[in-house]
Amino acid sequence: VQQDVPIYSEWVGTTVGYVTAQIRARISGYLMSQHYTEGAFVKAGDLLFRIDPRPYQAAVDQNEANLALAQAQLDQSRAQLAQAQAQVEQAKAQIAQAVAAVTQAEANQRRTELDVNKYAPLVKDGSVSQQEYDTAVQNNFANKAAVVSARANVEAARANLLRMQANAKQAQADITRAQANVAAAKATLDNAQLNLGWTQVTAPIAGLAGLRAIDLGEVVTQDQTVLTTVSTLDPIYVAFQLSE
């Protein structure tokens, strides 16, 4: 009888998961414990191994302290800036007062100068006593000195304002530097916390967990030591060699 018949062949093969993930340590350290059963099914995120976390916890604690110190320095710089800005405003007020004092002193000096000019011809004909004239002259000299002193006070107040403005700029620069230090400390702390989290080795996928490839207590090397494998079972493949 002529008919179609299937052709069968037999091979020896090995079952292979659709994905086989090699579990490697992201940090270096001593392997402390195993938290799965070899050959059992694990879910994604299940804890497989734990690496000694103590040095990484110490790094986190130290970087938290550094961040707190940097934040305190930033707060201090902000307080210094507020104080410097207040001093700038106070210096501006002092300038305004000094300018007003100059105006008043100049007005007084002009009045006494008018008195001197008025008494000068009168003292000759005896309408004004010599004492009154001398008093007017002395008052005019005193008011001239007051004008010079008031103007000097204005210049001193302006110089003081420049110093206060320089202090404010320095305080602003200190804030910028302190903010950079805070950002750097936060980044370092984030990295330390990330390393601490990697002391717990978890399954990246769901599947069948293989044999432990390293004994407990041994040192694992970052990104090099293979701890175990996790293979998915659905779908699953079979690898075999075809004959010629």
Side-chain angles (χ1 to χ4, degrees):
V1 178
Q2 184 179 9
Q3 62 179 0
D4 293 336
V5 294
I7 299 176
Y8 294 96
S9 298
E10 292 184 358
W11 293 275
V12 176
T14 304
T15 56
V16 180
Y18 180 72
V19 175
T20 298
Q22 290 185 337
I23 310 302
R24 299 177 185 268
R26 299 295 303 273
I27 57 172
S28 299
Y30 290 98
L31 188 65
M32 293 188 64
S33 57
Q34 176 181 340
H35 297 269
Y36 78 99
T37 301
E38 295 173 346
F41 185 82
V42 295
K43 300 186 296 295
D46 284 352
L47 180 62
L48 302 180
F49 298 96
R50 189 184 299 274
I51 299 173
D52 188 2
R54 289 173 294 183
Y56 299 99
Q57 182 63 58
V60 168
D61 295 340
Q62 180 179 359
N63 285 289
E64 285 179 345
N66 293 338
L67 176 58
L69 177 60
Q71 187 63 51
Q73 291 174 346
L74 175 58
D75 294 339
Q76 181 180 3
S77 297
R78 286 173 175 169
Q80 290 175 348
L81 176 60
Q83 181 180 4
Q85 290 174 339
Q87 291 174 346
V88 167
E89 296 303 321
Q90 182 179 2
K92 290 180 179 179
Q94 290 174 350
I95 289 177
Q97 292 176 355
V99 170
V102 168
T103 302
Q104 181 64 39
E106 289 176 344
N108 294 336
Q109 192 273 327
R110 285 193 298 268
R111 185 172 61 253
T112 55
E113 187 174 4
L114 290 175
D115 291 340
V116 170
N117 295 334
K118 181 176 66 175
Y119 291 164
L122 297 177
V123 74
K124 295 179 181 180
D125 58 9
S127 299
V128 174
S129 65
Q130 184 67 37
Q131 182 178 359
E132 290 178 333
Y133 175 74
D134 293 341
T135 300
V137 170
Q138 292 176 357
N139 289 338
N140 189 39
F141 284 156
N143 286 331
K144 285 182 178 180
V147 169
V148 173
S149 176
R151 289 174 179 173
N153 291 337
V154 170
E155 296 302 321
R158 287 174 177 170
N160 183 54
L161 175 60
L162 293 178
R163 287 195 299 271
M164 295 303 101
Q165 289 175 336
N167 291 339
K169 290 182 180 179
Q170 181 62 42
Q172 185 62 56
D174 292 341
I175 286 179
T176 302
R177 182 168 54 253
Q179 288 174 336
N181 293 337
V182 168
K186 285 182 178 179
T188 304
L189 176 59
D190 291 341
N191 185 66
Q193 290 174 336
L194 188 61
N195 288 335
L196 179 61
W198 280 336
T199 60
Q200 297 185 5
V201 182
T202 58
I205 59 174
L208 195 66
L211 298 175
R212 184 182 70 240
I214 183 174
D215 292 331
L216 299 179
E218 293 187 8
V219 178
V220 297
T221 303
Q222 178 181 356
D223 296 329
Q224 294 184 11
T225 304
V226 177
L227 301 178
T228 187
T229 58
V230 176
S231 301
T232 58
L233 301 181
D234 186 14
I236 193 169
Y237 295 148
V238 176
F240 57 88
Q241 296 292 330
L242 290 175
S243 64
E244 294 183 0

